[in-house]
Amino acid sequence: MRRIINSTYISLDGVIQDPQDWPGNGIEGDGTGLKVQTDLLFGCDAMLMGGRTYPGFAPAWMARSGDPFSDRMNSMAKYVVSSTLTDPEWNNTTVISRDPIDAIAA
């Protein structure tokens, strides 16, 4: 059995917005945050997202290539839970339109 790992940027007061500005937020770090995200991205074999996340991720990552992060995001399997998305443009994307618990377990 495989694990589902949740990686969400959220502030202490519960705000989730402008993820492109996180986690550095203009502060020079020690590289720990980048290492965590790199290990997570390259340690998983698929991405699971909801129908509201997909429209933000797909065009942003499809517009990028030629670096290890973009190439990994664009080549890995992606699963989108949505009852409205029918023809995803982002390669290797599968839409889960039925019961997500049963589909993910399968």
Side-chain angles (χ1 to χ4, degrees):
M1 179 182 302
R2 297 181 344 197
R3 296 179 297 152
I4 295 177
I5 301 168
N6 177 30
S7 175
T8 304
Y9 291 127
I10 186 168
S11 65
L12 293 176
D13 60 355
V15 175
I16 301 175
Q17 67 185 35
D18 300 322
Q20 70 278 2
D21 296 335
W22 293 46
N25 200 24
I27 300 168
E28 187 63 37
D30 64 0
T32 303
L34 178 60
K35 180 175 180 352
V36 167
Q37 291 303 314
T38 301
D39 290 350
L40 181 61
L41 178 61
F42 287 91
C44 64
D45 53 18
M47 181 186 322
L48 174 65
M49 67 189 96
R52 292 187 182 191
T53 301
Y54 177 85
F57 271 53
W61 287 106
M62 287 190 308
R64 297 179 53 160
S65 67
D67 66 86
F69 299 101
S70 300
D71 293 346
R72 177 69 178 143
M73 288 290 286
N74 288 318
S75 65
M76 71 188 312
K78 293 166 279 292
Y79 298 91
V80 181
V81 177
S82 175
S83 61
T84 58
L85 181 65
T86 56
D87 190 22
E89 295 179 24
W90 199 5
N91 64 317
N92 298 326
T93 298
T94 301
V95 177
I96 299 172
S97 58
R98 57 188 175 96
D99 178 39
I101 295 172
D102 288 342
I104 293 165

